Amino acid sequence: MAFTVRLLLFSCLFLLPVSVFAQTNGSIAVGDSLTATAANSSPWLSPSGDFAFGFFPLGSNGLFLLSIWYAKIPDRTIVWYADRDNEAAVAPKGSTVNLTANSGLVLKSPQGEELWKSEISVGVVANGVMNDTGNFVLQDRNSESLWETFNNPTDTLLPGQKIERSGTLSSRQSETNYLKGRFQLLLQGDGNLVISTINLPTEFANEPYYSTDTTSGTVAGSEGKELVFNVSGYLYVLRENGGKYNLAGEEVVSARDNYIRATLNFDGIFAQYYHPKNFTGNVSWTLRWSEPDDICQRNREDSGVGVCGYNSICTLKDKRPTCGCPKGFSLLDPNDPYRGCKPDFIQGCEEDELSGTKYLYDVEVLTNTDWPTSDYVKVYPFTAERCNESCFQDCLCAVAIFRSETCWKKKLPLSNGRVDVNLNSQAFIKVRKDNSTLQFPPMPNPDDKKTKKKSSNTVICVESIILAASIFVSFMFSAAACRGFFFVFRKKHVRSVENILDSNLHSFSYQELQEATNGFTEELGRGTFGVVYKGTIQIGSGVQVAVKKLNGVIQDGEKEFKTELRVIGKTHHKNLVCLVGYCDEGQHRLLVYEFLSKGTLASFLFTDIKPSWRQRIEIAYGVSRGLLYSHEDCGTQIIHCDIKPQNILLDDYYTARISDFGLAKLLMMNQSKTHTAIRGTKGYVAPEWFRNMPITTKVDVYSFGVVLLEIICCRRSVDVENNCEEKVILTDWVYDCYLEGELDAVVDYEVQALGDKTTLEKFVMVAIWCIQEDPSVRPNMKKVVQMLEGVVEVKVPPCPSAFVSQV
Ligand SMILES: *[C@@H]1O[C@H](CO)[C@@H](O)[C@H](O)[C@H]1NC(C)=O
Ligand SMILES: *[C@@H]1O[C@H](CO)[C@@H](O)[C@H](O)[C@H]1NC(C)=O
Ligand SMILES: *[C@@H]1O[C@H](CO)[C@@H](O)[C@H](O)[C@H]1NC(C)=O
Ligand SMILES: *[C@@H]1O[C@H](CO)[C@@H](O)[C@H](O)[C@H]1NC(C)=O
Ligand SMILES: *[C@@H]1O[C@H](CO)[C@@H](O)[C@H](O)[C@H]1NC(C)=O
Ligand SMILES: *[C@@H]1O[C@H](CO)[C@@H](O)[C@H](O)[C@H]1NC(C)=O
Ligand SMILES: *[C@@H]1O[C@H](CO)[C@@H](O)[C@H](O)[C@H]1NC(C)=O
Ligand SMILES: *[C@@H]1O[C@H](CO)[C@@H](O)[C@H](O)[C@H]1NC(C)=O
């Protein structure tokens, strides 16, 4: 249904003729109604006839939108529309809207199904008024307002309208598609007015790409109270102390002679427009002001993929972003350039190897184009030729950017692509010569596979290309999904392979894993949840994996195991270790992870030679982002419960990757009363485990705080061998040092860290916030990430045990 509506909403035409309006006082009586019909849909008009409320035809497809629009101008501009759960309440022909005493406006389909209604909490409606300001108001007998469109804005503000704290505007999907789009303007609780992209279909907002910074800051009372668009046409954030932060400057056009509106456009630009009321000829809306100036440059890694989506290039044109694909790529959705691009070919190490020739790619050169957040390697000093060559030879590399003797190699998908004439850069893009893509062998019939399995246990070694290919494809699918470019694989390849959860995990037999690990001989490590072995899955030249044999498996088995796996399998983030498959055969439960070459954070940190400060900082950022993702951004919230350096792995580029995600829940450890049910590791577990308090994401924040201190200090949280008694417990010692202003000692007078005092101090303060014993005082991971990255200020942390007595 939603899908059809979306299709129909696309590219609809605006066919409504300028309505001939009758004299009216704008008042609508209870019992009045409107019907959505193309012919005689005369709307409810305001007294001046400037605004109309009614059914707006969406093209000629028989669909209507209950909305308010400017009635006197041919440029049909909708300023408000009914939306239900943030989806436009699209009404088919014959729908009615009635003004009722108890529910106010009620929109029903011709079949009588309720499509939308105004939410009135108290009171009885006496009448409605289509006001000359563009506000549709429901009033009671005493003309008290019960509900107004001004208090339920969609994407547009009109003079006289306000947004209070936690109020939002939400963009459409495109100029003519009124479904909820990707951009949101929000007056935050702290008074800051921000615009960000949101992660549809969730509500999670990325870091803002525009903000007024109207928080309390250093001056009390300077935080924003409301966003005001006053009747004279001024747009400003009114501060708590009465001060104003002007968004659109001091000059305004006359609100008497012009229609003025402020709209959060579908492409993320918040803009003010005007249109003369008295006009002749072909006049349209004029842009008066817009923010941000250059949205193409505004998006950073933490503010989403950018306005144009993955793999595309954003160019500014008349202050609005336009999106295009590089050569060799095409639009994901040909009707919507803002949804990103997909490569016309498959690129990857295994694919390159399979095709057996070295001359697969051409190199396209683009100047002044960059995808600033997709790099995995930076080389300096370098030459342009070597940069090109190095990417050309590297099967992971999709694009290399060369600028100022520096070469950045980037992999797919590319994000935040943009043109910036000041860059002076060259982009070398690898484009496959033959884009007929790789031809996979035909997929096996699932029944064939079953019979083969029965007749031979050595499934993975069967000399059948077909079977190997099926494993290869499904395995590659999940591996690719982890790297974020799963869209290059056709779904149909995977559907026909049996035993795959909808999260694209591969199901291995025990026998397969026994062979892959050479009989579980090479042990990589031992953790709370089981022993990990190194293995090789025989596809192509062999792919290295880490196989974890789970112990303490839950009793009531199958269903819960699969449910949890499904949750884990859906987590895809560059700071989480990727689960590629599992084995669930009787008492054998194993998980198959990608293999990470550089071992654990513990072995990296706790050695004689201190790793570099820069590397440690990056690792801390990585861990915080991975945790934030699992807490807020991956569909099902996952509390890790056992964050510690042994559970954080490092990949080839020393990117931190959190492992053992979701295992705490998966494996209810069979513990007796004496051990209580603490799932975690001594030295890292939050106090609430011992206090019979609810376990929330804040337990991970606590453990993160401890790990952060370990990263800063390069020592373990508890060091019983330390000669100096006050240094044994890291958290206590660091807090003492912090109080005494002796952070130099914390990093053991490390030169690099002392040269970066601001970061050092910030990190220590954030860590102290995280290890607060009272969970409610600890920030959430989002705040932690914001503080670490300097987006929000870090306030002076209280003593970690200050609140304990109250608990
Ligand atoms: C508006 O006009 C209607 C009749 O058209 C009348 O019943 C109503 O009382 C008027 N309302 C006001 C506020 O004048
Ligand atoms: C809404 O109005 C239409 C037309 O006047 C009427 O047929 C219908 O019964 C009304 N519905 C309700 C729920 O009042
Ligand atoms: C209705 O419009 C008038 C001016 O036309 C304005 O003074 C009044 O405040 C408006 N009422 C509401 C509830 O918007
Ligand atoms: C609107 O705001 C401007 C700028 O703050 C102010 O000068 C003007 O008086 C305000 N207009 C009204 C009607 O309040
Ligand atoms: C509209 O503009 C025309 C000429 O541009 C002028 O003659 C007319 O008086 C104006 N009407 C109003 C209501 O201002
Ligand atoms: C009105 O002006 C716009 C751009 O200024 C143009 O695209 C359009 O064709 C014009 N329409 C008419 C009917 O002249
Ligand atoms: C980049 O390298 C490839 C492979 O060596 C070569 O074919 C191509 O001409 C190079 N392009 C530029 C602009 O150097
Ligand atoms: C590659 O694909 C694009 C788009 O699908 C097509 O226009 C182009 O002709 C193809 N090139 C080759 C060499 O097949």
Side-chain angles (χ1 to χ4, degrees), residues 131-133 135 137 148 150:
N131 200 314
D132 274 338
T133 53
N135 191 8
V137 187
E148 348 188 327
F150 268 20

Side-chain angles (χ1 to χ4, degrees), residues 210 230 232-237 244-253 272 288-291:
Y210 168 78
N230 84 6
S232 326
Y234 287 86
L235 187 63
Y236 54 84
V237 175
K244 291 173 182 174
Y245 176 95
N246 267 319
L247 278 100
E250 297 292 341
E251 274 167 61
V252 289
V253 293
Q272 205 186 58
R288 201 188 83 68
W289 164 89
S290 71
E291 277 289 353

Side-chain angles (χ1 to χ4, degrees), residues 157-178:
L157 287 181
L158 295 174
Q161 196 166 357
K162 284 175 188 172
I163 286 189
E164 319 236 299
R165 287 202 192 132
S166 81
T168 58
L169 293 184
S170 207
S171 71
R172 320 171 178 170
Q173 275 192 5
S174 76
E175 201 67 59
T176 51
N177 179 340
Y178 294 86

Side-chain angles (χ1 to χ4, degrees), residues 384-394 428:
E385 292 70 41
R386 286 168 72 199
C387 187
N388 169 32
E389 197 58 37
S390 153
C391 182
F392 194 79
Q393 304 277 349
D394 180 350
F428 301 100

